[in-house]
């Protein structure tokens, strides 16, 4: 059975750190042999044509007029509040190029990441295909239901990467009913694995991995670390990730959550990009107390292929999100490496971190609680080891890519009517 994945960035090389591209690559290659995965990407300058890698076909398509018509739709709708990614004409050139490919290939299943505007388009071009919409963020329950509700009716299945997302979607669109399912994200448990014990040559390390953006709560982690630094004079805080805030209209501008909404203070001029998107990281770096400047390090972006060693070097990983999280990939990657995680109760994170067993869960935007959790784990190496081992077991049973691929295959075969498989 041929399955078409729609992922504009998945054709890039193995070192690509785009989370949806990684998901597509890892899952697609584990479906070969039983299914025929085809990934439709957006062709970039210098990229070759159709090719195969690890048994997966990659079909780059040419999209020359990407987003050129968005200003027209803004005028027609007279609704400037809609973010670009919600509009019907967003990435229309790419969608049309893919639709023509789908009409030629006629795949039984089409798997679309995030973009609801492709649903009616693909339904028109391949009416006999089953359409799967896979949501990795909160957009479906944040955006205007009048704008996207009709699109969702074209989906045969809607997957959320956490029960948090799925339940939000069911509550907002009750008519979708049994169309909504859950499929967790995964991790390469061979690459992300515990390291062999080595003699420590420096103090304990608290690690943050992710975009340095307000909704990720890096400012809360910094404040919490300052509270425990005196009790642990050798401890260090390592911050790994892109020093650029997420776009205002992707997170803060569309949320109804009060805590996330409060982060607008970090966007002094939200409509001025990219200047406004650099404000938070600059402010954060300047706010490190002088006494901690040798112990707090901003390491910037690392290739995804190199992250395992970064996790392995940490004693504790913090995921201090203030905004609601769809899932929490850094938590899973750290757990796979046998490192305990301190996470907030943001969105889907409590579904990943088992509080008291694989790590600790604290309230959002609470530096006191985060500091107490840091101190609790930093002073107890035995507890860290026990939690790290439990974390690794949890990943192997729930979040390894092979298991994720098998769950997805069960969904596909049910949709295609090949045999009866209950939804997980």
């Amino acid at each position: 059975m041929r399955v078409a994945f729609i992922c504009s960035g998945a054709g890039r090389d193995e070192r690509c750190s785009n989370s949806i591209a990684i998901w597509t690559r890892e899952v697609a290659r584990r479906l070969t042999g039983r299914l025929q995965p085809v990934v439709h990407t957006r062709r970039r300058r210098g990229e070759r044509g159709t090719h195969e890698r690890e048994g997966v076909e990659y079909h780059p398509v040419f999209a020359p007029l990407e987003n050129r018509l968005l200003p027209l739709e803004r005028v027609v709708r007279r609704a400037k509040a809609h973010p670009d990614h919600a509009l019907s004409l967003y990435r229309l050139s790419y969608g049309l190029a893919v639709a023509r490919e789908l009409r030629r290939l006629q795949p039984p299943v089409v798997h679309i990441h995030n973009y609801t505007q492709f649903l009616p388009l693909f339904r028109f071009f391949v009416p006999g295909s089953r359409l799967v919409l896979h949501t990795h963020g909160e957009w479906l329950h944040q955006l205007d239901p009048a704008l996207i509700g009709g699109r969702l009716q074209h989906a045969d299945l809607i997957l959320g990467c956490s029960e948090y997302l799925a339940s939000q979607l069911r509550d907002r669109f009750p008519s979708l009913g049994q169309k909504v399912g859950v499929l967790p994200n995964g991790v390469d448990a061979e690459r992300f694995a515990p390291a062999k014990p080595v003699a420590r040559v420096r103090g304990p390390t608290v690690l943050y991995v992710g975009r340095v953006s307000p909704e990720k709560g890096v400012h809360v982690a910094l404040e919490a670390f300052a509270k425990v630094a005196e009790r642990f004079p050798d401890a260090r805080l390592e911050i790994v990730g892109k020093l650029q805030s997420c776009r205002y209209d992707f997170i803060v501008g569309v949320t109804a959550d009060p805590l996330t909404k409060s982060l607008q203070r970090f966007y002094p001029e939200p409509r001025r990009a990219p200047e406004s998107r650099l404000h938070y990281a600059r402010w954060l770096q300047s706010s490190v107390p002088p006494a901690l400047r040798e112990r707090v390090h901003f390491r910037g972006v690392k290739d995804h292929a190199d992250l395992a060693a970064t996790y392995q070097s940490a004693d504790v990983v913090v995921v201090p999100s203030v905004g609601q999280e769809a899932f929490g990939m850094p938590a899973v990657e750290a757990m796979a490496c046998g490192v305990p995680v301190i996470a907030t109760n943001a969105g889907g994170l409590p579904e990943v971190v088992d509080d008291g067993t694989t790590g600790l869960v604290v309230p959002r935007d609470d530096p006191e609680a985060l500091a107490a959790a840091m101190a609790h784990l930093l002073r107890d190496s035995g507890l860290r080891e026990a939690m790290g081992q439990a974390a690794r077991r949890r990943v192997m049973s729930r979040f390894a890519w092979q298991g994720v691929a098998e769950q997805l295959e069960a969904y596909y075969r049910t949709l295609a009517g090949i045999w009866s498989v209950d939804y997980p």
Side-chain angles (χ1 to χ4, degrees):
M1 180 173 70
R2 188 186 296 271
V3 176
F5 290 97
I6 315 305
C7 180
S8 63
R12 286 182 272 178
D13 63 38
E14 290 286 329
R15 304 186 75 80
C16 175
S17 59
N18 178 288
S19 60
I20 296 178
I22 292 170
W23 188 99
T24 303
R25 183 177 66 236
E26 295 289 351
V27 169
R29 71 186 184 90
R30 286 171 172 83
L31 293 174
T32 59
R34 301 184 302 278
L35 303 176
Q36 293 177 272
V38 179
V39 181
H40 297 271
T41 71
R42 192 154 45 99
R43 182 178 295 172
R44 288 165 172 77
R45 183 178 298 176
E47 188 175 9
R48 55 182 172 155
T50 300
H51 59 281
E52 181 178 310
R53 187 168 66 239
E54 297 181 295
V56 179
E57 291 181 39
Y58 288 85
H59 289 210
V61 299
F62 184 48
L65 300 176
E66 199 80 314
N67 297 333
R68 297 288 178 86
L69 298 177
L70 286 182
L72 174 62
E73 184 170 0
R74 292 194 200 101
V75 172
V76 171
R77 289 187 182 277
R78 297 180 181 177
K80 295 182 180 179
H82 290 313
D84 287 352
H85 62 268
L87 298 178
S88 298
L89 298 181
Y90 185 73
R91 293 199 167 171
L92 177 63
S93 178
Y94 168 64
L96 283 171
V98 170
R100 289 192 292 268
E101 280 285 291
L102 296 178
R103 183 167 57 186
R104 180 177 67 84
L105 295 173
Q106 293 293 317
V109 176
V110 178
H111 190 126
I112 306 161
H113 290 290
N114 282 336
Y115 296 127
T116 59
Q117 51 269 69
F118 289 167
L119 287 167
L121 179 67
F122 293 169
R123 179 61 73 203
F124 176 79
F125 274 80
V126 281
S129 296
R130 302 294 188 178
L131 302 184
V132 178
L133 178 68
H134 193 167
T135 177
H136 299 267
E138 296 189 275
W139 294 345
L140 295 189
H141 67 263
Q142 290 176 333
L143 298 175
D144 183 358
L147 180 68
I148 64 171
R151 302 174 188 171
L152 297 180
Q153 299 304 318
H154 293 286
D156 296 290
L157 173 65
I158 303 174
L159 295 175
C161 59
S162 62
E163 179 56 38
Y164 164 75
L165 284 187
S167 62
Q168 294 274 14
L169 185 57
R170 295 187 196 104
D171 289 345
R172 192 164 209 202
F173 298 98
S175 64
L176 295 177
Q178 297 302 311
K179 285 186 177 183
V180 180
V182 179
L183 184 73
N185 291 330
V187 65
D188 185 339
E190 294 182 3
R191 174 180 293 174
F192 290 85
K196 295 180 180 179
V198 295
R200 287 282 184 181
V201 296
R202 53 190 179 186
T205 299
V206 177
L207 173 67
Y208 167 84
V209 175
R211 185 174 55 250
V212 180
S213 186
E215 78 281 1
K216 298 298 183 180
V218 189
H219 57 287
V220 183
L222 181 58
E223 185 176 347
F225 182 76
K227 293 177 183 297
V228 302
E230 289 186 7
R231 282 182 281 171
F232 302 90
D234 295 330
R236 298 173 303 118
L237 175 61
E238 297 283 319
I239 299 170
V240 174
K242 189 173 185 179
L243 301 176
Q244 187 178 67
S245 298
C246 185
R247 280 177 48 171
Y248 178 86
D249 58 346
F250 273 31
I251 304 289
V252 179
V254 293
T255 187
D257 174 61
L259 278 181
T260 309
K261 203 73 176 177
S262 72
L263 298 173
Q264 61 189 345
R265 67 188 187 274
F266 294 115
Y267 291 86
E269 297 179 83
R271 302 304 174 190
R272 284 188 60 196
E275 187 64 26
S276 181
R277 297 176 65 187
L278 299 175
H279 171 80
Y280 178 72
R282 290 170 177 170
W283 171 84
L284 201 64
Q285 290 172 310
S286 67
S287 67
V288 177
L292 294 181
R293 286 177 184 165
E294 298 299 318
R295 298 168 59 187
V296 176
H297 304 108
F298 292 82
R299 301 299 188 186
V301 178
K302 290 193 176 184
D303 287 324
H304 190 256
D306 300 328
L307 277 180
T310 303
Y311 287 114
Q312 291 163 355
S313 68
D315 295 275
V316 176
V317 168
V318 291
V319 187
S321 300
V322 174
Q324 300 285 20
E325 286 283 354
F327 183 75
M329 277 306 303
V332 174
E333 291 170 346
M335 289 165 56
C337 292
V339 181
V341 175
I342 303 172
T344 62
N345 59 349
L349 276 173
E351 299 174 41
V352 176
V353 180
D354 188 358
D355 186 30
T357 303
T358 68
L360 300 172
V361 177
V362 299
R364 293 187 290 154
D365 201 18
D366 190 337
E368 293 285 350
L370 184 57
M374 283 185 189
H376 183 53
L377 289 185
L378 288 177
R379 66 171 171 256
D380 193 335
S381 60
L383 179 60
R384 294 199 305 271
E385 182 178 358
M387 284 186 167
Q389 292 174 355
R392 174 70 180 179
R393 291 193 296 270
R394 181 170 175 81
V395 166
M396 296 305 294
S397 65
R398 298 191 60 178
F399 303 119
W401 280 125
Q402 186 59 43
V404 173
E406 290 172 359
Q407 291 181 60
L408 182 62
E409 183 180 355
Y411 277 122
Y412 287 163
R413 293 191 181 278
T414 300
L415 279 179
I418 292 178
W419 64 64
S420 178
V421 180
D422 291 336
Y423 285 171

